[in-house]
Amino acid sequence: MFAVIALALAADPSHGQTLCEQDPTLGECELVLPPVCSRDPASSTAPSGVCDVTSLHGPSGGKRVEIGLKATTGKIQVGGYAVSTENYNASYLSPVVEALPGDTVAARIQNSLDARQPSGSQTGGHAHHASDNPTNLHFFHGGIVTPRNARVPNDPADQAATQGNGDNIYTYFKRGSAPFVYEVPIPSGLDARVIDGAGVIPHPTGLNWYHAHLHGYASDQVTGGLSGLLSVGDAKANLVACKQDLVDPAKCKDDPNGTAALKARTDVRYALLRDISLKEISAPPEAGTTAPKTATWAPELNGWLQQHGDCKVWRTAQDPGDPNAKLRKGYCQQDRDKAWLFTVNGQRFPTIKVEGGRNLLLRFGNLSSNVVYWLELSNEQDDNDKEKLLLLGLDGVVPAKPVLADPNRQPAKATAVDDLVFMPASRAEILIRNDCLRTKAKTYILRTKGVIAGRLNNGLADRWPEIQLMRIELAPSTVSCTEEIALNAVAGRLELAGAGLRKENREAVTKPEGCVDDIDPAKAEHRRVTFVDGGETSDGRATSWSVKTEIVRPPGDDPTKLPVPYGDFVSDNAKTVGMKQPDGEFLGMPFEEYDLGNGKIDWKNKDANGNDAKRPHVCIFVDPDDPAQKGGLQQLWVLKNETGELHNFHIHQMKFRLATADELTTRFKIKLDGPPAEPSEICAHPPACTTPGPVYKLYDTSSSDQNTRWHDTIPMPPGRRVYVIMSFVAGEQIGRYVFHCHILKHEDTGLMAPIEVWNPPPRAVIQ
C-alpha cells in the first residue's frame, strides 16, 4: 500500500559513482529517499529503534505508529558538507511517517540539544537561558486532529494546555527533560462540514508534516533539521484515471481499471525542500575538490541577500564571482567563506531518472523555515519549453469538492499549472507523466525563480534568488496514453445530524476567562486579522511584528443600504484583541505579551495581582449540534497585510477555503469593486515592483478554478486582503492552539496569536 520505489545511487557525472555512494549529498547524484516509518512493516526503512508499530484494540483495525525523535546537536551531511546542526536522530533527512485514517500516530521526543541562544531572540526578550535551549513539537501540521489540551472546567490550575499530549504546541521541554510521547488519533469519521461536505468523512488523505514550534526558537531549529513529513493514506490515493464523458466532453467518468493501471506504472518520490546557511566553508560548492568539505552552521545569516546584494557563483579562488543564475545548482554564495544551500532531501541538485512508459509522482514539502519557492519545470536545453505541473494535492487535501459516496460520481479533472508559488510549510503532490508517446529523451530542471517578497523597513528588497533545485530526466516512451488524470475527491457517508436545540430552551453559561466574544452570525459579522509592522509588550519589550484581531460588521441596521464597500465596515472594540492606546485605538498584540516564560502562557488575562491584564485572546464557541447558532460554521476571516513584506497565514487544526465573490456580496454584505482580490502579484508595495512577481492564482479569490480553493497556509501579499472561509464544527478542533505567519523568523518575533476553541455544555446560551 505504501510502496515507494527504492533507487540505486547513480553515477555522479563530475566525480564518478564512488563519490556518490560515499556521500550522496554531493551535487548531481541520484535522489536519495528519506527513511520511512510506516504502519506497513514491509514499507518501513527507518533505522532500528526509531519506528514502532502496534495494533490498536477495538473494532477499527487501526494501528499505532510511533516514531522516536531525539533532538540532538551533532554533525550531519548536507549538500556535500559535514556540518553540525540541531537535528533529529543525527540526520538531516528525518523519517517520513505513513499512516491511515483510524490509526494513531505517536512521537516520542527527547531534548538532547546543546546549550545555545537562538539567533533571532534579540527583539523578543524571551525569558529563557541559553542553557535551557528548549524545544517542542507540532506533530501534525495540516491535520484536523485533536490537540488534547482543552480547558479543564472549574480547575484553577488547569495544566491541560502544557500537558496535553495531542497535536499540542504549548508543550515545553528544556534540554535534558524526560522523554515525552505525543498521541494523535487520525479520525476515521470526521464531521464533513469542516470542509463544506455533508455527513461524515475519513480524515483527508494527503501530505502533512511535523516540526519544532517553540516561539523564539522555531526558525533556527527547523532550519537545522527538526522537521519531517507525515503522510495520511496510500501515497497514490489521490491518483485517479477517468474517461471522457461523451455527453459532456468537459467532464470525465470514473475509470477503475484505468486507475489501477495508472498507479501500477507510477513511481513515488518524497522531496523535502530545505535551505541552510553556512559560513567558514573549506571549499566553495563548485570547487571540484574531492576532499571532505566542512563548514559551520550559521542560522543568523538566513536570508542574507537582503543585506549583501546578488547571489553569486564561485568558479575558482581567483574568480570574483559569476552572478549567472543558470550556473547555480542548489546554492548561491556571497563570498568564498559563506554559502546558502538549497537542498532536496539534503542533496544539492540531485537527479531523478524516469523510464519510458512510467510516471513520477513527486510528493513535495517546503520544510524551509522562511524560503518562498516559485517552482517551474524548464527544459535544460530550451528555456522556452516548460512542462506543466499537474496538481493532485495541495496542502494535504485533494483540491476537489467533497462528495457523498457514489459509484456513479463524476471525477474532477486534475489542475495543470505553469508554475507554483510554494510557501513555507506548503505541500504539493505533482504528477509528471512519461507514459505517453515521447520520441526523444528530455531533461527538465526544477527551479525556483527569483521572488521579490516585499520591501523591508530599511528600504532594501526582500529577495529570494533563482536556484536550480533538481534535474529530472525523461527517457523516450513508446506507449500511448489514453487516460485523463482526475482527483480523488473526499467521499462522505450521510448520517443524520442533530436538529439543534431551540435557544429559549438553553441554559446560560459564561465564556471562559480571557476570551473575547465570538462572531454573531445574525449581524453578518466576520473576523479580520491584520498583520502589523512592529509591536511592543506592556512592559516595554519591542517586537518586529504583531497581530490585531477584530470582529467586524456592516454599518447601520438598514438592509436596503447593503452591501457597502469594505472601508465602511465597523469594528467592535469590545471584541478586539490588540494593545489598546489611551486614545481608544488598538495596535497589534505580539505573541510575547502572552508568553510568560518557561512555557507558561496567559490564558486567563490576569496580571500578577489578579487584575485584567488587557490581553484577551480569540475564542470560538463550537456547538456540534447547531454550529450556526454560535457562528462556528463557515466563518469569514479577512486576512489583511499592513506591512511591506509578504507573509504566510496558517492556522492549526483547520483546512480553509477561498471565499467566493457571491458569498462575500450576498452573505457578508461586502460591495466589491471588481474582483474580490487585488492584483495577484507578490512584490514590494510600495514601491512598485521592478521585477515582476508571480501570479498566485491558486490562492486568488477571483480564480474561476473551483478545484484549487482548499489550503491550510496561504500567502498574504503586502498591502492586500485575502478572504477565506473556515468552519469550527468538529470535536477534533476543540482545544488551544495558534494562528500565525509561517515564515518562521516572523513568527518567532511577534507574528503569532493564541486561539481557544471550546464547546459549552448542552443546552447552553453564551452570556
Side-chain angles (χ1 to χ4, degrees):
M1 174 175 290
F2 294 102
V4 178
I5 308 301
L7 291 174
L9 294 177
D12 185 315
S14 59
H15 301 308
Q17 186 175 7
T18 303
L19 280 178
C20 268
E21 289 178 338
Q22 292 175 351
D23 184 3
T25 68
L26 290 167
E28 303 184 31
C29 296
E30 187 79 12
L31 181 73
V32 299
L33 299 179
V36 173
C37 177
S38 173
R39 74 184 310 274
D40 178 6
S43 299
S44 285
T45 57
S48 175
V50 171
C51 182
D52 182 59
V53 180
T54 55
S55 295
L56 295 173
H57 298 292
S60 67
K63 293 187 177 181
R64 181 181 181 276
V65 184
E66 179 180 292
I67 183 174
L69 298 175
K70 184 177 182 180
T72 184
T73 304
K75 190 163 288 187
I76 58 171
Q77 296 291 323
V78 54
Y81 287 90
V83 58
S84 182
T85 72
E86 295 176 343
N87 52 74
Y88 288 134
N89 306 333
S91 175
Y92 195 61
L93 195 54
S94 303
V96 177
V97 179
E98 294 182 334
L100 292 177
D103 290 343
T104 291
V105 290
R108 184 180 68 259
I109 187 168
Q110 179 179 353
N111 184 353
S112 297
L113 299 171
D114 289 350
R116 191 179 71 86
Q117 197 72 28
S119 65
S121 65
Q122 69 277 7
T123 58
H126 306 289
H128 313 293
H129 193 273
S131 62
D132 293 345
N133 201 4
T135 191
N136 67 0
L137 186 66
H138 179 16
F139 188 43
F140 212 128
H141 178 122
I144 309 172
V145 294
T146 176
R148 282 184 165 168
N149 66 359
R151 190 182 297 239
V152 180
N154 304 316
D155 182 356
D158 185 23
Q159 298 296 310
T162 57
Q163 297 177 359
N165 69 341
D167 179 30
N168 178 19
I169 59 92
Y170 289 109
T171 52
Y172 178 91
F173 310 114
K174 295 181 181 180
R175 54 190 300 268
S177 299
F180 182 87
V181 179
Y182 296 86
E183 299 266 353
V184 183
I186 306 175
S188 58
L190 182 69
D191 192 325
R193 292 174 297 180
V194 77
I195 54 172
D196 286 1
V200 177
I201 57 172
H203 190 284
T205 58
L207 203 55
N208 306 277
W209 69 304
Y210 59 88
H211 62 90
H213 204 295
L214 193 68
H215 183 61
Y217 292 75
S219 179
D220 284 5
Q221 292 183 354
V222 171
T223 298
L226 295 182
S227 63
L229 290 175
L230 193 160
S231 174
V232 177
D234 183 349
K236 300 180 185 178
N238 300 333
L239 181 60
V240 178
C242 63
K243 297 178 180 177
Q244 190 177 67
D245 188 330
L246 298 179
V247 178
D248 185 353
K251 295 181 178 180
C252 60
K253 291 184 176 180
D254 208 15
D255 183 8
N257 292 333
T259 295
L262 183 64
K263 289 183 177 181
R265 60 178 185 269
T266 299
D267 300 327
V268 178
R269 305 287 183 268
Y270 289 110
L272 287 65
L273 303 183
R274 280 184 172 139
D275 74 293
I276 186 168
S277 296
L278 306 177
K279 64 183 179 182
E280 301 170 356
I281 60 176
S282 60
E286 298 292 351
T289 177
T290 58
K293 299 177 186 178
T294 60
T296 300
W297 179 39
E300 72 277 5
L301 295 180
N302 200 309
W304 45 254
L305 278 185
Q306 301 156 0
Q307 290 80 31
H308 298 287
D310 289 335
C311 179
K312 297 179 180 180
V313 177
W314 283 92
R315 309 303 296 169
T316 68
Q318 291 74 35
D319 195 328
D322 187 343
N324 188 344
K326 295 185 182 302
L327 299 176
R328 294 200 293 266
K329 296 179 178 179
Y331 79 97
C332 68
Q333 285 198 277
Q334 170 194 337
D335 54 42
R336 186 177 175 83
D337 180 60
K338 301 180 181 70
W340 191 2
L341 303 187
F342 296 79
T343 67
V344 184
N345 292 355
Q347 295 169 265
R348 181 173 48 78
F349 196 63
T351 295
I352 296 181
K353 296 180 180 180
V354 184
E355 298 177 10
R358 299 200 62 79
N359 301 314
L360 175 64
L361 176 54
L362 283 169
R363 306 192 82 200
F364 280 107
N366 183 353
L367 273 57
S368 288
S369 296
N370 306 297
V371 171
V372 179
Y373 294 91
W374 184 12
L375 299 177
E376 73 168 10
L377 271 176
S378 179
N379 191 306
E380 188 174 42
Q381 303 300 324
D382 181 3
D383 199 48
N384 294 317
D385 177 16
K386 312 290 186 184
E387 181 82 356
K388 285 187 176 292
L389 306 175
L390 195 62
L391 289 176
L392 304 185
L394 192 63
D395 284 345
V397 66
V398 176
K401 292 181 180 179
V403 296
L404 286 175
D406 180 359
N408 299 314
R409 68 186 182 95
Q410 296 279 336
K413 290 184 180 180
T415 299
V417 296
D418 296 323
D419 49 50
L420 175 63
V421 179
F422 205 40
M423 301 298 292
S426 290
R427 292 87 59 214
E429 298 180 64
I430 296 173
L431 183 69
I432 298 174
R433 300 197 72 173
N434 200 34
D435 63 346
C436 301
L437 186 64
R438 188 190 299 273
T439 58
K440 295 182 180 179
K442 279 193 175 184
T443 298
Y444 286 94
I445 302 300
L446 178 73
R447 70 181 182 188
T448 175
K449 300 190 286 184
V451 177
I452 301 293
R455 186 70 58 177
L456 305 178
N457 290 335
N458 59 10
L460 297 174
D462 187 7
R463 297 182 296 138
W464 302 112
E466 179 182 340
I467 299 290
Q468 296 187 53
L469 299 173
M470 181 167 57
R471 174 188 284 116
I472 300 174
E473 299 178 0
L474 304 178
S477 179
T478 59
V479 299
S480 296
C481 55
T482 58
E483 303 90 354
E484 296 258 17
I485 306 298
L487 295 168
N488 185 24
V490 177
R493 61 183 185 273
L494 187 61
E495 294 183 357
L496 294 177
L501 299 170
R502 294 169 59 87
K503 184 173 182 178
E504 57 266 30
N505 293 333
R506 294 174 175 263
E507 299 171 359
V509 64
T510 303
K511 63 182 180 288
E513 286 184 286
C515 284
V516 296
D517 287 338
D518 197 9
I519 285 170
D520 184 349
K523 298 179 180 178
E525 289 182 340
H526 67 265
R527 182 168 278 104
R528 182 166 65 205
V529 175
T530 305
F531 285 1
V532 181
D533 268 321
E536 186 175 290
T537 62
S538 55
D539 60 1
R541 289 176 291 151
T543 61
S544 299
W545 314 93
S546 53
V547 184
K548 182 168 69 174
T549 306
E550 305 161 276
I551 301 296
V552 183
R553 65 176 183 271
D557 299 318
D558 186 352
T560 64
K561 296 183 178 180
L562 301 177
V564 297
Y566 194 73
D568 294 345
F569 275 62
V570 178
S571 175
D572 186 341
N573 285 350
K575 295 183 179 183
T576 296
V577 178
M579 302 293 285
K580 190 172 184 179
Q581 304 303 295
D583 60 2
E585 294 296 315
F586 285 87
L587 303 178
M589 181 90 73
F591 189 78
E592 283 78 359
E593 179 69 7
Y594 301 96
D595 187 351
L596 305 178
N598 294 314
K600 296 179 180 179
I601 303 297
D602 180 16
W603 291 103
K604 296 185 177 182
N605 189 24
K606 299 294 183 182
D607 62 19
N609 299 317
N611 299 317
D612 185 348
K614 299 181 180 179
R615 50 173 174 252
H617 60 275
V618 172
C619 287
I620 310 291
F621 312 137
V622 168
D623 184 347
D625 291 329
D626 190 2
Q629 180 73 45
K630 301 291 190 302
L633 184 66
Q634 293 188 342
Q635 288 194 357
L636 171 66
W637 287 39
V638 177
L639 312 176
K640 187 179 180 183
N641 183 356
E642 287 190 348
T643 80
E645 280 208 68
L646 172 68
H647 294 296
N648 186 33
F649 178 85
H650 170 60
I651 181 170
H652 292 207
Q653 294 21 87
M654 174 66 69
K655 302 292 185 188
F656 52 76
R657 65 168 171 83
L658 294 166
T660 66
D662 180 68
E663 65 189 330
L664 289 176
T665 301
T666 303
R667 179 180 169 194
F668 297 104
K669 313 305 179 185
I670 300 173
K671 184 178 181 180
L672 301 172
D673 298 322
E678 287 106 312
S680 306
E681 288 189 347
I682 295 174
C683 61
H685 180 78
C689 294
T690 56
T691 301
V695 175
Y696 66 111
K697 64 179 181 180
L698 291 177
Y699 310 101
D700 195 334
T701 301
S702 62
S703 171
S704 61
D705 189 345
Q706 298 296 311
N707 290 334
T708 59
R709 293 189 176 276
W710 287 99
H711 306 277
D712 58 43
T713 62
I714 197 164
M716 293 173 61
R720 312 295 192 195
R721 294 193 298 267
V722 181
Y723 304 83
V724 298
I725 300 290
M726 55 183 78
S727 290
F728 299 85
V729 295
E732 289 80 3
Q733 296 173 300
I734 295 170
R736 287 173 278 193
Y737 35 100
V738 289
F739 56 90
H740 61 92
C741 178
H742 219 295
I743 296 175
L744 293 182
K745 63 183 179 181
H746 297 171
E747 174 204 301
D748 277 346
T749 52
L751 209 46
M752 183 162 72
I755 180 173
E756 180 170 4
V757 179
W758 68 289
N759 60 328
R763 309 179 64 84
V765 174
I766 309 303
Q767 289 186 326

